[in-house]
């Protein structure tokens, strides 16, 4: 298994509170991604990073921010959580070898009440 | 604007028979296509891929076919096994310049293989 650790794995939070999800990798891969999975929508890219301090928006970035201060860590922050952000969040990593080397973490289940 | 479409939310087949999962795309810039498999409570795992310079790629029981003119690809699983029961995601990508590699996923198809 690729060395990807997501934390927390499960979280329940209240509307309006800030939430940070952490993705930690031990593979030294350059690219890191945050996806969310929702019924009827599949996997949608929130933000991604192509290097330390280099990040860019995905297709559903509103309400989310990210930071990557170290190669191994990619943080996803919900500044003020809303019920529409209740979802399963997957971190993924890849290297320059190609997209078939994208590996996903096990997911973080977030419920905003 | 859904660029990758999996129009069948679910598919049920008998063990031993062929499973065919379909995927359509609209962006002609896509040049690399992948299939991911996902079990409940786990992250997606890579299954098979195909470059736009090919029309077929085979790996054991799994074969992916690409029809560029129709912007259509399909995943064939022969023979299907109960352990193949999972959600299958089609994904596509293109090099948008520089060093950006991003995947666009379809909504997924739930495959159920009945014993």
């Amino acid at each position: 298994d690729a060395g990807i650790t997501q934390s927390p794995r499960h979280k329940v939070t209240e509307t309006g509170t800030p939430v940070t999800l952490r993705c930690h990798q031990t593979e030294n891969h350059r690219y890191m991604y945050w996806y969310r999975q929702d019924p009827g929508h599949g996997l949608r890219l929130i933000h991604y990073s192509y290097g330390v301090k280099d990040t860019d928006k995905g297709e559903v970035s509103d309400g989310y921010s990210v930071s990557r201060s170290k190669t191994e860590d990619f943080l996803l922050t919900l500044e003020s959580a809303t019920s529409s952000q209740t979802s399963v969040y997957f971190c993924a990593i890849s290297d320059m070898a190609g997209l078939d080397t994208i590996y996903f973490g096990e997911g973080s289940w977030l419920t905003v009440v | 604007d859904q660029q990758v479409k999996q129009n069948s939310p679910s598919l049920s087949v008998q063990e031993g028979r062929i499973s065919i999962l379909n995927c359509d795309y609209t962006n002609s810039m896509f040049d690399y296509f992948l299939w991911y498999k996902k079990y409940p409570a786990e992250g997606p795992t890579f299954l098979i891929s195909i470059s736009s310079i090919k029309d077929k790629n085979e790996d054991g029981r799994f074969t992916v076919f690409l029809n560029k003119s129709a912007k259509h690809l399909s995943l064939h699983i022969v023979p299907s096994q109960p352990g193949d029961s999972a959600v299958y995601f089609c994904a596509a990508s293109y090099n948008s310049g520089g060093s950006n590699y991003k995947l666009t996923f379809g909504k997924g198809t739930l495959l159920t293989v009945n014993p």
Side-chain angles (χ1 to χ4, degrees):
Chain A
D1 290 340
I4 307 171
T5 304
Q6 291 186 227
S7 60
R9 294 291 313 282
H10 299 270
K11 185 174 181 65
V12 180
T13 192
E14 293 185 349
T15 299
T17 60
V19 177
T20 295
L21 306 180
R22 179 180 183 237
C23 179
H24 178 78
Q25 61 146 328
T26 58
E27 306 296 325
N28 201 37
H29 282 359
R30 177 178 178 181
Y31 300 94
M32 298 186 75
Y33 311 81
W34 277 108
Y35 283 87
R36 59 178 288 176
Q37 184 194 5
D38 304 288
H41 291 278
L43 290 156
R44 293 180 293 174
L45 181 64
I46 304 171
H47 282 280
Y48 67 102
S49 169
Y50 46 96
V52 174
K53 292 186 168 49
D54 291 324
T55 64
D56 203 351
K57 297 179 179 180
E59 57 184 300
V60 289
S61 59
D62 288 347
Y64 301 95
S65 63
V66 290
S67 66
R68 192 166 177 203
S69 58
K70 299 184 289 185
T71 298
E72 57 265 35
D73 289 326
F74 193 32
L75 304 181
L76 176 70
T77 297
L78 292 66
E79 300 291 347
S80 178
T82 67
S83 58
S84 65
Q85 293 175 313
T86 292
S87 187
V88 184
Y89 292 86
F90 289 99
C91 173
I93 64 174
S94 70
D95 64 13
M96 288 294 288
L99 291 164
D100 54 357
T101 55
I102 282 188
Y103 302 102
F104 283 82
E106 295 190 337
S108 294
W109 275 255
L110 177 66
T111 302
V112 184
V113 297
Chain B
D1 178 24
Q2 192 181 353
Q3 299 187 62
V4 178
K5 302 178 183 179
Q6 294 178 257
N7 293 319
S8 298
S10 63
L11 174 67
S12 181
V13 300
Q14 286 299 120
E15 181 178 5
R17 306 294 290 271
I18 184 172
S19 297
I20 300 177
L21 295 94
N22 294 302
C23 179
D24 297 293
Y25 62 96
T26 58
N27 190 339
S28 58
M29 295 290 290
F30 287 142
D31 57 10
Y32 198 67
F33 304 89
L34 307 90
W35 285 93
Y36 278 77
K37 178 179 179 179
K38 185 184 180 305
Y39 293 117
E42 295 183 9
T45 56
F46 168 75
L47 188 58
I48 192 170
S49 63
I50 188 167
S51 166
S52 60
I53 62 173
K54 294 184 177 181
D55 55 17
K56 176 182 176 181
N57 189 28
E58 193 172 353
D59 183 2
R61 295 185 297 113
F62 303 91
T63 303
V64 57
F65 295 92
L66 175 63
N67 183 333
K68 286 180 58 180
S69 61
K71 294 190 177 66
H72 177 84
L73 64 155
S74 60
L75 174 68
H76 293 212
I77 306 174
V78 184
S80 301
Q81 300 174 354
D84 296 329
S85 297
V87 176
Y88 289 79
F89 289 101
C90 172
S93 179
Y94 65 94
N95 188 342
S96 59
S99 54
N100 296 331
Y101 294 89
K102 298 181 290 184
L103 286 177
T104 301
F105 284 85
K107 294 183 178 181
T109 297
L110 173 63
L111 173 66
T112 303
V113 180
N114 301 303

